[in-house]
Amino acid sequence: MKHVFRITLIVSFLLISNYVLSQQTTNTQLDPSLYLFPQFTDGTVTLKESKIWNGKLNYNFYLDQMQFLGPNNTIMTLTEPEKVVSIDIGAHKFINFKNTFIETISNGPVFLYLRIHVVRTTKKIGAYGTTGIDSGISTVSSFTSFASDKQATTDINNLKSNEKTAQHTDLNFYILNSGKIIKTNNQKDLIKCFSSNKDLIQQELERQHTKFNSIESMKKIIDWINANGIRD
């Protein structure tokens, strides 16, 4: 009976793995600027039809991928996010939105979600180390290499000797209101979500000095909207 139970578990895991997972890479040394957590963390993936998978998970901001540790610490990635209902990693909860994952920052009735994306670029270095306006810019397609002391090395895979890298982080906010998820990255977007209360929202935005590049500031205004029962 125990053998049958073990076989059932193995088969179930393989079915779920083939359903939404694929192998990615065997390098488990993480660049902390590219991941939600400094290491892969216990989490739960809830699939459609109530299927549940537990494992070590992490979100890659650079690749916009939810990843997990497979056999022999191989990094795997969820390849069919549309088949995922939600993902919980510690206190962090994600939902699928347009085949990517956005994190719940503030609970409803009006929900606030966040998508963080890290952009890395390379610039060609001209004569005497200068980077002119006409220098080519292209997206870096590989991770920073890490030495044994966990300090980032100066080289990036496939980076040429006449190139330098730059990195910045984009914060994209989304609001779920009246059953619709709407991207909300500026004051105009937010007021449009509550057009019948635009004067009240405008006044509170000015009072709070809301910053649309701050998670704390965005959470504060949405929590205020929920606390005051504002709907549209």
Side-chain angles (χ1 to χ4, degrees):
M1 187 66 182
K2 289 183 179 180
H3 291 297
V4 173
F5 179 70
R6 288 175 182 172
I7 292 172
T8 302
L9 284 179
I10 293 171
V11 171
S12 298
F13 173 78
L14 290 174
L15 286 174
I16 293 175
S17 296
N18 291 332
Y19 188 47
V20 293
L21 312 174
S22 71
Q23 184 168 322
Q24 186 70 15
T25 177
T26 56
N27 180 14
T28 56
Q29 291 180 310
L30 304 182
D31 181 339
S33 69
L34 303 181
Y35 279 87
L36 176 62
F37 300 103
Q39 60 187 9
F40 281 79
T41 303
D42 289 336
T44 300
V45 179
T46 301
L47 304 171
K48 292 181 179 179
E49 301 176 359
S50 300
K51 291 186 173 75
I52 293 177
W53 182 86
N54 296 306
K56 298 281 187 181
L57 294 151
N58 212 336
Y59 192 77
N60 187 313
F61 297 133
Y62 178 60
L63 298 177
D64 286 328
Q65 292 178 347
M66 186 64 69
Q67 299 178 334
F68 77 102
L69 288 183
N72 301 317
N73 285 333
T74 299
I75 295 179
M76 314 283 283
T77 185
L78 299 178
T79 58
E80 297 179 278
E82 71 278 4
K83 296 178 180 178
V84 175
V85 175
S86 63
I87 296 176
D88 295 273
I89 311 174
H92 298 260
K93 184 179 184 67
F94 296 82
I95 66 166
N96 169 53
F97 177 64
K98 293 185 176 180
N99 294 331
T100 189
F101 294 102
I102 54 178
E103 182 182 355
T104 304
I105 302 299
S106 184
N107 289 318
V110 176
F111 284 76
L112 176 66
Y113 299 102
L114 170 67
R115 173 178 169 263
I116 299 176
H117 179 60
V118 171
V119 178
R120 275 186 169 179
T121 58
T122 62
K123 292 185 178 181
K124 291 182 179 179
I125 303 172
Y128 307 105
T130 61
T131 54
I133 294 175
D134 294 330
S135 296
I137 299 177
S138 59
T139 301
V140 175
S141 61
S142 53
F143 299 115
T144 301
S145 299
F146 273 76
S148 57
D149 60 359
K150 296 185 180 180
Q151 296 297 314
T153 65
T154 56
D155 294 327
I156 292 184
N157 297 336
N158 303 324
L159 193 63
K160 297 177 181 178
S161 60
N162 66 334
E163 295 176 336
K164 62 183 291 187
T165 63
Q167 176 175 311
H168 70 270
T169 301
D170 292 333
L171 300 182
N172 296 284
F173 294 97
Y174 301 83
I175 287 177
L176 172 62
N177 185 30
S178 301
K180 295 181 179 179
I181 296 180
I182 302 171
K183 191 173 184 179
T184 312
N185 277 348
N186 54 54
Q187 181 172 297
K188 183 180 178 180
D189 290 341
L190 181 60
I191 291 174
K192 189 184 296 185
C193 292
F194 306 94
S195 56
S196 61
N197 293 279
K198 61 181 182 180
D199 292 336
L200 184 61
I201 296 291
Q202 176 73 52
Q203 182 180 7
E204 187 62 22
L205 286 169
E206 293 175 358
R207 189 187 73 81
Q208 291 190 16
H209 302 289
T210 300
K211 299 179 179 64
F212 286 81
N213 61 352
S214 166
I215 299 173
E216 181 181 0
S217 186
M218 286 296 290
K219 185 178 187 306
K220 184 178 180 181
I221 187 67
I222 297 302
D223 286 346
W224 177 86
I225 287 172
N226 281 322
N228 286 274
I230 297 175
R231 306 289 178 268
D232 200 46

mmCIF file with all atom_site columns, all heavy atoms in Angstrom, residues 74-97:
data_model
loop_
_atom_site.group_PDB
_atom_site.id
_atom_site.type_symbol
_atom_site.label_atom_id
_atom_site.label_alt_id
_atom_site.label_comp_id
_atom_site.label_asym_id
_atom_site.label_entity_id
_atom_site.label_seq_id
_atom_site.pdbx_PDB_ins_code
_atom_site.Cartn_x
_atom_site.Cartn_y
_atom_site.Cartn_z
_atom_site.occupancy
_atom_site.B_iso_or_equiv
_atom_site.pdbx_formal_charge
_atom_site.auth_seq_id
_atom_site.auth_comp_id
_atom_site.auth_asym_id
_atom_site.auth_atom_id
_atom_site.pdbx_PDB_model_num
ATOM 1   N N   . THR A 1 74 ? 18.191 22.392 -9.542  1.00 0.00 ? 74 THR A N   1
ATOM 2   C CA  . THR A 1 74 ? 18.044 23.007 -10.851 1.00 0.00 ? 74 THR A CA  1
ATOM 3   C C   . THR A 1 74 ? 16.937 24.056 -10.792 1.00 0.00 ? 74 THR A C   1
ATOM 4   O O   . THR A 1 74 ? 15.861 23.803 -10.267 1.00 0.00 ? 74 THR A O   1
ATOM 5   C CB  . THR A 1 74 ? 17.682 21.954 -11.908 1.00 0.00 ? 74 THR A CB  1
ATOM 6   O OG1 . THR A 1 74 ? 18.726 20.990 -11.980 1.00 0.00 ? 74 THR A OG1 1
ATOM 7   C CG2 . THR A 1 74 ? 17.487 22.589 -13.274 1.00 0.00 ? 74 THR A CG2 1
ATOM 8   N N   . ILE A 1 75 ? 17.226 25.255 -11.309 1.00 0.00 ? 75 ILE A N   1
ATOM 9   C CA  . ILE A 1 75 ? 16.209 26.302 -11.324 1.00 0.00 ? 75 ILE A CA  1
ATOM 10  C C   . ILE A 1 75 ? 15.224 26.041 -12.458 1.00 0.00 ? 75 ILE A C   1
ATOM 11  O O   . ILE A 1 75 ? 15.617 25.892 -13.608 1.00 0.00 ? 75 ILE A O   1
ATOM 12  C CB  . ILE A 1 75 ? 16.845 27.696 -11.488 1.00 0.00 ? 75 ILE A CB  1
ATOM 13  C CG1 . ILE A 1 75 ? 17.713 28.025 -10.266 1.00 0.00 ? 75 ILE A CG1 1
ATOM 14  C CG2 . ILE A 1 75 ? 15.755 28.755 -11.650 1.00 0.00 ? 75 ILE A CG2 1
ATOM 15  C CD1 . ILE A 1 75 ? 18.406 29.368 -10.358 1.00 0.00 ? 75 ILE A CD1 1
ATOM 16  N N   . MET A 1 76 ? 13.940 25.952 -12.105 1.00 0.00 ? 76 MET A N   1
ATOM 17  C CA  . MET A 1 76 ? 12.875 25.708 -13.061 1.00 0.00 ? 76 MET A CA  1
ATOM 18  C C   . MET A 1 76 ? 12.000 26.959 -13.135 1.00 0.00 ? 76 MET A C   1
ATOM 19  O O   . MET A 1 76 ? 12.048 27.811 -12.260 1.00 0.00 ? 76 MET A O   1
ATOM 20  C CB  . MET A 1 76 ? 12.023 24.515 -12.626 1.00 0.00 ? 76 MET A CB  1
ATOM 21  C CG  . MET A 1 76 ? 12.803 23.294 -12.163 1.00 0.00 ? 76 MET A CG  1
ATOM 22  S SD  . MET A 1 76 ? 13.510 22.329 -13.517 1.00 0.00 ? 76 MET A SD  1
ATOM 23  C CE  . MET A 1 76 ? 12.048 21.461 -14.081 1.00 0.00 ? 76 MET A CE  1
ATOM 24  N N   . THR A 1 77 ? 11.207 27.050 -14.188 1.00 0.00 ? 77 THR A N   1
ATOM 25  C CA  . THR A 1 77 ? 10.320 28.205 -14.318 1.00 0.00 ? 77 THR A CA  1
ATOM 26  C C   . THR A 1 77 ? 8.911  27.760 -14.688 1.00 0.00 ? 77 THR A C   1
ATOM 27  O O   . THR A 1 77 ? 8.727  26.756 -15.371 1.00 0.00 ? 77 THR A O   1
ATOM 28  C CB  . THR A 1 77 ? 10.856 29.183 -15.377 1.00 0.00 ? 77 THR A CB  1
ATOM 29  O OG1 . THR A 1 77 ? 10.050 30.350 -15.396 1.00 0.00 ? 77 THR A OG1 1
ATOM 30  C CG2 . THR A 1 77 ? 10.874 28.568 -16.757 1.00 0.00 ? 77 THR A CG2 1
ATOM 31  N N   . LEU A 1 78 ? 7.908  28.507 -14.221 1.00 0.00 ? 78 LEU A N   1
ATOM 32  C CA  . LEU A 1 78 ? 6.526  28.246 -14.595 1.00 0.00 ? 78 LEU A CA  1
ATOM 33  C C   . LEU A 1 78 ? 6.332  28.738 -16.031 1.00 0.00 ? 78 LEU A C   1
ATOM 34  O O   . LEU A 1 78 ? 6.494  29.927 -16.308 1.00 0.00 ? 78 LEU A O   1
ATOM 35  C CB  . LEU A 1 78 ? 5.557  28.984 -13.668 1.00 0.00 ? 78 LEU A CB  1
ATOM 36  C CG  . LEU A 1 78 ? 5.625  28.610 -12.189 1.00 0.00 ? 78 LEU A CG  1
ATOM 37  C CD1 . LEU A 1 78 ? 4.650  29.461 -11.395 1.00 0.00 ? 78 LEU A CD1 1
ATOM 38  C CD2 . LEU A 1 78 ? 5.312  27.145 -11.993 1.00 0.00 ? 78 LEU A CD2 1
ATOM 39  N N   . THR A 1 79 ? 6.000  27.840 -16.924 1.00 0.00 ? 79 THR A N   1
ATOM 40  C CA  . THR A 1 79 ? 5.946  28.192 -18.343 1.00 0.00 ? 79 THR A CA  1
ATOM 41  C C   . THR A 1 79 ? 4.541  28.522 -18.836 1.00 0.00 ? 79 THR A C   1
ATOM 42  O O   . THR A 1 79 ? 4.392  29.050 -19.924 1.00 0.00 ? 79 THR A O   1
ATOM 43  C CB  . THR A 1 79 ? 6.500  27.034 -19.199 1.00 0.00 ? 79 THR A CB  1
ATOM 44  O OG1 . THR A 1 79 ? 5.727  25.855 -18.938 1.00 0.00 ? 79 THR A OG1 1
ATOM 45  C CG2 . THR A 1 79 ? 7.955  26.778 -18.869 1.00 0.00 ? 79 THR A CG2 1
ATOM 46  N N   . GLU A 1 80 ? 3.527  28.210 -18.049 1.00 0.00 ? 80 GLU A N   1
ATOM 47  C CA  . GLU A 1 80 ? 2.154  28.494 -18.459 1.00 0.00 ? 80 GLU A CA  1
ATOM 48  C C   . GLU A 1 80 ? 1.433  29.220 -17.325 1.00 0.00 ? 80 GLU A C   1
ATOM 49  O O   . GLU A 1 80 ? 0.562  28.655 -16.657 1.00 0.00 ? 80 GLU A O   1
ATOM 50  C CB  . GLU A 1 80 ? 1.423  27.209 -18.822 1.00 0.00 ? 80 GLU A CB  1
ATOM 51  C CG  . GLU A 1 80 ? 2.028  26.479 -20.017 1.00 0.00 ? 80 GLU A CG  1
ATOM 52  C CD  . GLU A 1 80 ? 1.301  25.189 -20.343 1.00 0.00 ? 80 GLU A CD  1
ATOM 53  O OE1 . GLU A 1 80 ? 1.582  24.175 -19.699 1.00 0.00 ? 80 GLU A OE1 1
ATOM 54  O OE2 . GLU A 1 80 ? 0.431  25.231 -21.241 1.00 0.00 ? 80 GLU A OE2 1
ATOM 55  N N   . PRO A 1 81 ? 1.770  30.491 -17.094 1.00 0.00 ? 81 PRO A N   1
ATOM 56  C CA  . PRO A 1 81 ? 1.182  31.228 -15.970 1.00 0.00 ? 81 PRO A CA  1
ATOM 57  C C   . PRO A 1 81 ? -0.336 31.344 -16.045 1.00 0.00 ? 81 PRO A C   1
ATOM 58  O O   . PRO A 1 81 ? -0.992 31.519 -15.012 1.00 0.00 ? 81 PRO A O   1
ATOM 59  C CB  . PRO A 1 81 ? 1.852  32.606 -16.063 1.00 0.00 ? 81 PRO A CB  1
ATOM 60  C CG  . PRO A 1 81 ? 2.369  32.700 -17.452 1.00 0.00 ? 81 PRO A CG  1
ATOM 61  C CD  . PRO A 1 81 ? 2.727  31.313 -17.855 1.00 0.00 ? 81 PRO A CD  1
ATOM 62  N N   . GLU A 1 82 ? -0.901 31.234 -17.257 1.00 0.00 ? 82 GLU A N   1
ATOM 63  C CA  . GLU A 1 82 ? -2.354 31.341 -17.388 1.00 0.00 ? 82 GLU A CA  1
ATOM 64  C C   . GLU A 1 82 ? -3.080 30.196 -16.701 1.00 0.00 ? 82 GLU A C   1
ATOM 65  O O   . GLU A 1 82 ? -4.291 30.279 -16.453 1.00 0.00 ? 82 GLU A O   1
ATOM 66  C CB  . GLU A 1 82 ? -2.752 31.404 -18.870 1.00 0.00 ? 82 GLU A CB  1
ATOM 67  C CG  . GLU A 1 82 ? -2.584 30.114 -19.652 1.00 0.00 ? 82 GLU A CG  1
ATOM 68  C CD  . GLU A 1 82 ? -1.162 29.864 -20.143 1.00 0.00 ? 82 GLU A CD  1
ATOM 69  O OE1 . GLU A 1 82 ? -0.267 30.669 -19.803 1.00 0.00 ? 82 GLU A OE1 1
ATOM 70  O OE2 . GLU A 1 82 ? -0.952 28.866 -20.868 1.00 0.00 ? 82 GLU A OE2 1
ATOM 71  N N   . LYS A 1 83 ? -2.363 29.130 -16.369 1.00 0.00 ? 83 LYS A N   1
ATOM 72  C CA  . LYS A 1 83 ? -2.976 27.992 -15.692 1.00 0.00 ? 83 LYS A CA  1
ATOM 73  C C   . LYS A 1 83 ? -2.817 28.072 -14.171 1.00 0.00 ? 83 LYS A C   1
ATOM 74  O O   . LYS A 1 83 ? -3.210 27.164 -13.456 1.00 0.00 ? 83 LYS A O   1
ATOM 75  C CB  . LYS A 1 83 ? -2.367 26.690 -16.209 1.00 0.00 ? 83 LYS A CB  1
ATOM 76  C CG  . LYS A 1 83 ? -2.670 26.455 -17.688 1.00 0.00 ? 83 LYS A CG  1
ATOM 77  C CD  . LYS A 1 83 ? -2.032 25.193 -18.221 1.00 0.00 ? 83 LYS A CD  1
ATOM 78  C CE  . LYS A 1 83 ? -2.347 24.992 -19.702 1.00 0.00 ? 83 LYS A CE  1
ATOM 79  N NZ  . LYS A 1 83 ? -1.695 23.793 -20.263 1.00 0.00 ? 83 LYS A NZ  1
ATOM 80  N N   . VAL A 1 84 ? -2.237 29.175 -13.700 1.00 0.00 ? 84 VAL A N   1
ATOM 81  C CA  . VAL A 1 84 ? -2.021 29.379 -12.258 1.00 0.00 ? 84 VAL A CA  1
ATOM 82  C C   . VAL A 1 84 ? -3.083 30.328 -11.714 1.00 0.00 ? 84 VAL A C   1
ATOM 83  O O   . VAL A 1 84 ? -3.351 31.377 -12.298 1.00 0.00 ? 84 VAL A O   1
ATOM 84  C CB  . VAL A 1 84 ? -0.617 29.961 -11.990 1.00 0.00 ? 84 VAL A CB  1
ATOM 85  C CG1 . VAL A 1 84 ? -0.442 30.283 -10.513 1.00 0.00 ? 84 VAL A CG1 1
ATOM 86  C CG2 . VAL A 1 84 ? 0.458  28.985 -12.457 1.00 0.00 ? 84 VAL A CG2 1
ATOM 87  N N   . VAL A 1 85 ? -3.688 29.953 -10.589 1.00 0.00 ? 85 VAL A N   1
ATOM 88  C CA  . VAL A 1 85 ? -4.671 30.807 -9.922  1.00 0.00 ? 85 VAL A CA  1
ATOM 89  C C   . VAL A 1 85 ? -3.960 31.794 -9.008  1.00 0.00 ? 85 VAL A C   1
ATOM 90  O O   . VAL A 1 85 ? -4.191 33.002 -9.060  1.00 0.00 ? 85 VAL A O   1
ATOM 91  C CB  . VAL A 1 85 ? -5.684 29.970 -9.120  1.00 0.00 ? 85 VAL A CB  1
ATOM 92  C CG1 . VAL A 1 85 ? -6.625 30.874 -8.338  1.00 0.00 ? 85 VAL A CG1 1
ATOM 93  C CG2 . VAL A 1 85 ? -6.467 29.054 -10.050 1.00 0.00 ? 85 VAL A CG2 1
ATOM 94  N N   . SER A 1 86 ? -3.075 31.281 -8.159  1.00 0.00 ? 86 SER A N   1
ATOM 95  C CA  . SER A 1 86 ? -2.350 32.139 -7.228  1.00 0.00 ? 86 SER A CA  1
ATOM 96  C C   . SER A 1 86 ? -1.082 31.446 -6.757  1.00 0.00 ? 86 SER A C   1
ATOM 97  O O   . SER A 1 86 ? -0.946 30.219 -6.871  1.00 0.00 ? 86 SER A O   1
ATOM 98  C CB  . SER A 1 86 ? -3.218 32.505 -6.022  1.00 0.00 ? 86 SER A CB  1
ATOM 99  O OG  . SER A 1 86 ? -3.548 31.328 -5.280  1.00 0.00 ? 86 SER A OG  1
ATOM 100 N N   . ILE A 1 87 ? -0.159 32.246 -6.234  1.00 0.00 ? 87 ILE A N   1
ATOM 101 C CA  . ILE A 1 87 ? 1.081  31.734 -5.674  1.00 0.00 ? 87 ILE A CA  1
ATOM 102 C C   . ILE A 1 87 ? 1.336  32.444 -4.350  1.00 0.00 ? 87 ILE A C   1
ATOM 103 O O   . ILE A 1 87 ? 1.271  33.678 -4.276  1.00 0.00 ? 87 ILE A O   1
ATOM 104 C CB  . ILE A 1 87 ? 2.273  31.966 -6.631  1.00 0.00 ? 87 ILE A CB  1
ATOM 105 C CG1 . ILE A 1 87 ? 2.064  31.187 -7.924  1.00 0.00 ? 87 ILE A CG1 1
ATOM 106 C CG2 . ILE A 1 87 ? 3.584  31.553 -5.968  1.00 0.00 ? 87 ILE A CG2 1
ATOM 107 C CD1 . ILE A 1 87 ? 3.142  31.432 -8.973  1.00 0.00 ? 87 ILE A CD1 1
ATOM 108 N N   . ASP A 1 88 ? 1.608  31.664 -3.315  1.00 0.00 ? 88 ASP A N   1
ATOM 109 C CA  . ASP A 1 88 ? 1.913  32.216 -1.995  1.00 0.00 ? 88 ASP A CA  1
ATOM 110 C C   . ASP A 1 88 ? 3.335  31.843 -1.618  1.00 0.00 ? 88 ASP A C   1
ATOM 111 O O   . ASP A 1 88 ? 3.703  30.663 -1.612  1.00 0.00 ? 88 ASP A O   1
ATOM 112 C CB  . ASP A 1 88 ? 0.936  31.668 -0.950  1.00 0.00 ? 88 ASP A CB  1
ATOM 113 C CG  . ASP A 1 88 ? -0.489 32.120 -1.202  1.00 0.00 ? 88 ASP A CG  1
ATOM 114 O OD1 . ASP A 1 88 ? -0.838 33.208 -0.715  1.00 0.00 ? 88 ASP A OD1 1
ATOM 115 O OD2 . ASP A 1 88 ? -1.240 31.409 -1.885  1.00 0.00 ? 88 ASP A OD2 1
ATOM 116 N N   . ILE A 1 89 ? 4.144  32.862 -1.307  1.00 0.00 ? 89 ILE A N   1
ATOM 117 C CA  . ILE A 1 89 ? 5.510  32.646 -0.825  1.00 0.00 ? 89 ILE A CA  1
ATOM 118 C C   . ILE A 1 89 ? 5.658  33.455 0.458   1.00 0.00 ? 89 ILE A C   1
ATOM 119 O O   . ILE A 1 89 ? 5.777  34.687 0.418   1.00 0.00 ? 89 ILE A O   1
ATOM 120 C CB  . ILE A 1 89 ? 6.571  33.096 -1.844  1.00 0.00 ? 89 ILE A CB  1
ATOM 121 C CG1 . ILE A 1 89 ? 6.272  32.543 -3.234  1.00 0.00 ? 89 ILE A CG1 1
ATOM 122 C CG2 . ILE A 1 89 ? 7.962  32.651 -1.396  1.00 0.00 ? 89 ILE A CG2 1
ATOM 123 C CD1 . ILE A 1 89 ? 7.205  33.065 -4.313  1.00 0.00 ? 89 ILE A CD1 1
ATOM 124 N N   . GLY A 1 90 ? 5.624  32.781 1.579   1.00 0.00 ? 90 GLY A N   1
ATOM 125 C CA  . GLY A 1 90 ? 5.634  33.495 2.853   1.00 0.00 ? 90 GLY A CA  1
ATOM 126 C C   . GLY A 1 90 ? 4.431  34.413 2.934   1.00 0.00 ? 90 GLY A C   1
ATOM 127 O O   . GLY A 1 90 ? 3.298  34.009 2.708   1.00 0.00 ? 90 GLY A O   1
ATOM 128 N N   . ALA A 1 91 ? 4.693  35.716 3.213   1.00 0.00 ? 91 ALA A N   1
ATOM 129 C CA  . ALA A 1 91 ? 3.609  36.692 3.319   1.00 0.00 ? 91 ALA A CA  1
ATOM 130 C C   . ALA A 1 91 ? 3.259  37.311 1.964   1.00 0.00 ? 91 ALA A C   1
ATOM 131 O O   . ALA A 1 91 ? 2.359  38.148 1.881   1.00 0.00 ? 91 ALA A O   1
ATOM 132 C CB  . ALA A 1 91 ? 3.997  37.797 4.295   1.00 0.00 ? 91 ALA A CB  1
ATOM 133 N N   . HIS A 1 92 ? 3.931  36.897 0.909   1.00 0.00 ? 92 HIS A N   1
ATOM 134 C CA  . HIS A 1 92 ? 3.715  37.461 -0.427  1.00 0.00 ? 92 HIS A CA  1
ATOM 135 C C   . HIS A 1 92 ? 2.735  36.601 -1.220  1.00 0.00 ? 92 HIS A C   1
ATOM 136 O O   . HIS A 1 92 ? 2.875  35.391 -1.287  1.00 0.00 ? 92 HIS A O   1
ATOM 137 C CB  . HIS A 1 92 ? 5.038  37.562 -1.184  1.00 0.00 ? 92 HIS A CB  1
ATOM 138 C CG  . HIS A 1 92 ? 6.049  38.457 -0.538  1.00 0.00 ? 92 HIS A CG  1
ATOM 139 N ND1 . HIS A 1 92 ? 6.287  39.752 -0.946  1.00 0.00 ? 92 HIS A ND1 1
ATOM 140 C CD2 . HIS A 1 92 ? 6.888  38.244 0.512   1.00 0.00 ? 92 HIS A CD2 1
ATOM 141 C CE1 . HIS A 1 92 ? 7.218  40.297 -0.191  1.00 0.00 ? 92 HIS A CE1 1
ATOM 142 N NE2 . HIS A 1 92 ? 7.600  39.403 0.696   1.00 0.00 ? 92 HIS A NE2 1
ATOM 143 N N   . LYS A 1 93 ? 1.756  37.268 -1.839  1.00 0.00 ? 93 LYS A N   1
ATOM 144 C CA  . LYS A 1 93 ? 0.758  36.550 -2.634  1.00 0.00 ? 93 LYS A CA  1
ATOM 145 C C   . LYS A 1 93 ? 0.722  37.142 -4.043  1.00 0.00 ? 93 LYS A C   1
ATOM 146 O O   . LYS A 1 93 ? 0.645  38.367 -4.207  1.00 0.00 ? 93 LYS A O   1
ATOM 147 C CB  . LYS A 1 93 ? -0.628 36.662 -1.998  1.00 0.00 ? 93 LYS A CB  1
ATOM 148 C CG  . LYS A 1 93 ? -1.707 35.843 -2.718  1.00 0.00 ? 93 LYS A CG  1
ATOM 149 C CD  . LYS A 1 93 ? -3.042 35.984 -2.031  1.00 0.00 ? 93 LYS A CD  1
ATOM 150 C CE  . LYS A 1 93 ? -4.111 35.104 -2.686  1.00 0.00 ? 93 LYS A CE  1
ATOM 151 N NZ  . LYS A 1 93 ? -3.859 33.681 -2.508  1.00 0.00 ? 93 LYS A NZ  1
ATOM 152 N N   . PHE A 1 94 ? 0.767  36.270 -5.050  1.00 0.00 ? 94 PHE A N   1
ATOM 153 C CA  . PHE A 1 94 ? 0.746  36.682 -6.441  1.00 0.00 ? 94 PHE A CA  1
ATOM 154 C C   . PHE A 1 94 ? -0.483 36.114 -7.143  1.00 0.00 ? 94 PHE A C   1
ATOM 155 O O   . PHE A 1 94 ? -0.976 35.053 -6.780  1.00 0.00 ? 94 PHE A O   1
ATOM 156 C CB  . PHE A 1 94 ? 1.988  36.176 -7.180  1.00 0.00 ? 94 PHE A CB  1
ATOM 157 C CG  . PHE A 1 94 ? 3.284  36.749 -6.688  1.00 0.00 ? 94 PHE A CG  1
ATOM 158 C CD1 . PHE A 1 94 ? 3.903  36.218 -5.566  1.00 0.00 ? 94 PHE A CD1 1
ATOM 159 C CD2 . PHE A 1 94 ? 3.885  37.809 -7.345  1.00 0.00 ? 94 PHE A CD2 1
ATOM 160 C CE1 . PHE A 1 94 ? 5.108  36.738 -5.108  1.00 0.00 ? 94 PHE A CE1 1
ATOM 161 C CE2 . PHE A 1 94 ? 5.080  38.333 -6.899  1.00 0.00 ? 94 PHE A CE2 1
ATOM 162 C CZ  . PHE A 1 94 ? 5.697  37.800 -5.782  1.00 0.00 ? 94 PHE A CZ  1
ATOM 163 N N   . ILE A 1 95 ? -0.950 36.834 -8.152  1.00 0.00 ? 95 ILE A N   1
ATOM 164 C CA  . ILE A 1 95 ? -1.987 36.311 -9.043  1.00 0.00 ? 95 ILE A CA  1
ATOM 165 C C   . ILE A 1 95 ? -1.479 36.436 -10.482 1.00 0.00 ? 95 ILE A C   1
ATOM 166 O O   . ILE A 1 95 ? -0.546 37.191 -10.768 1.00 0.00 ? 95 ILE A O   1
ATOM 167 C CB  . ILE A 1 95 ? -3.324 37.059 -8.885  1.00 0.00 ? 95 ILE A CB  1
ATOM 168 C CG1 . ILE A 1 95 ? -3.185 38.518 -9.349  1.00 0.00 ? 95 ILE A CG1 1
ATOM 169 C CG2 . ILE A 1 95 ? -3.846 36.969 -7.462  1.00 0.00 ? 95 ILE A CG2 1
ATOM 170 C CD1 . ILE A 1 95 ? -4.518 39.233 -9.541  1.00 0.00 ? 95 ILE A CD1 1
ATOM 171 N N   . ASN A 1 96 ? -2.092 35.677 -11.368 1.00 0.00 ? 96 ASN A N   1
ATOM 172 C CA  . ASN A 1 96 ? -1.748 35.767 -12.776 1.00 0.00 ? 96 ASN A CA  1
ATOM 173 C C   . ASN A 1 96 ? -2.524 36.914 -13.415 1.00 0.00 ? 96 ASN A C   1
ATOM 174 O O   . ASN A 1 96 ? -3.721 37.066 -13.221 1.00 0.00 ? 96 ASN A O   1
ATOM 175 C CB  . ASN A 1 96 ? -2.094 34.455 -13.485 1.00 0.00 ? 96 ASN A CB  1
ATOM 176 C CG  . ASN A 1 96 ? -2.007 34.585 -14.998 1.00 0.00 ? 96 ASN A CG  1
ATOM 177 O OD1 . ASN A 1 96 ? -0.991 35.022 -15.532 1.00 0.00 ? 96 ASN A OD1 1
ATOM 178 N ND2 . ASN A 1 96 ? -3.084 34.219 -15.677 1.00 0.00 ? 96 ASN A ND2 1
ATOM 179 N N   . PHE A 1 97 ? -1.799 37.744 -14.185 1.00 0.00 ? 97 PHE A N   1
ATOM 180 C CA  . PHE A 1 97 ? -2.443 38.819 -14.935 1.00 0.00 ? 97 PHE A CA  1
ATOM 181 C C   . PHE A 1 97 ? -1.738 38.945 -16.277 1.00 0.00 ? 97 PHE A C   1
ATOM 182 O O   . PHE A 1 97 ? -0.559 39.287 -16.351 1.00 0.00 ? 97 PHE A O   1
ATOM 183 C CB  . PHE A 1 97 ? -2.368 40.145 -14.171 1.00 0.00 ? 97 PHE A CB  1
ATOM 184 C CG  . PHE A 1 97 ? -2.953 41.317 -14.941 1.00 0.00 ? 97 PHE A CG  1
ATOM 185 C CD1 . PHE A 1 97 ? -4.301 41.344 -15.256 1.00 0.00 ? 97 PHE A CD1 1
ATOM 186 C CD2 . PHE A 1 97 ? -2.146 42.370 -15.338 1.00 0.00 ? 97 PHE A CD2 1
ATOM 187 C CE1 . PHE A 1 97 ? -4.833 42.417 -15.965 1.00 0.00 ? 97 PHE A CE1 1
ATOM 188 C CE2 . PHE A 1 97 ? -2.665 43.439 -16.044 1.00 0.00 ? 97 PHE A CE2 1
ATOM 189 C CZ  . PHE A 1 97 ? -4.018 43.472 -16.357 1.00 0.00 ? 97 PHE A CZ  1
#
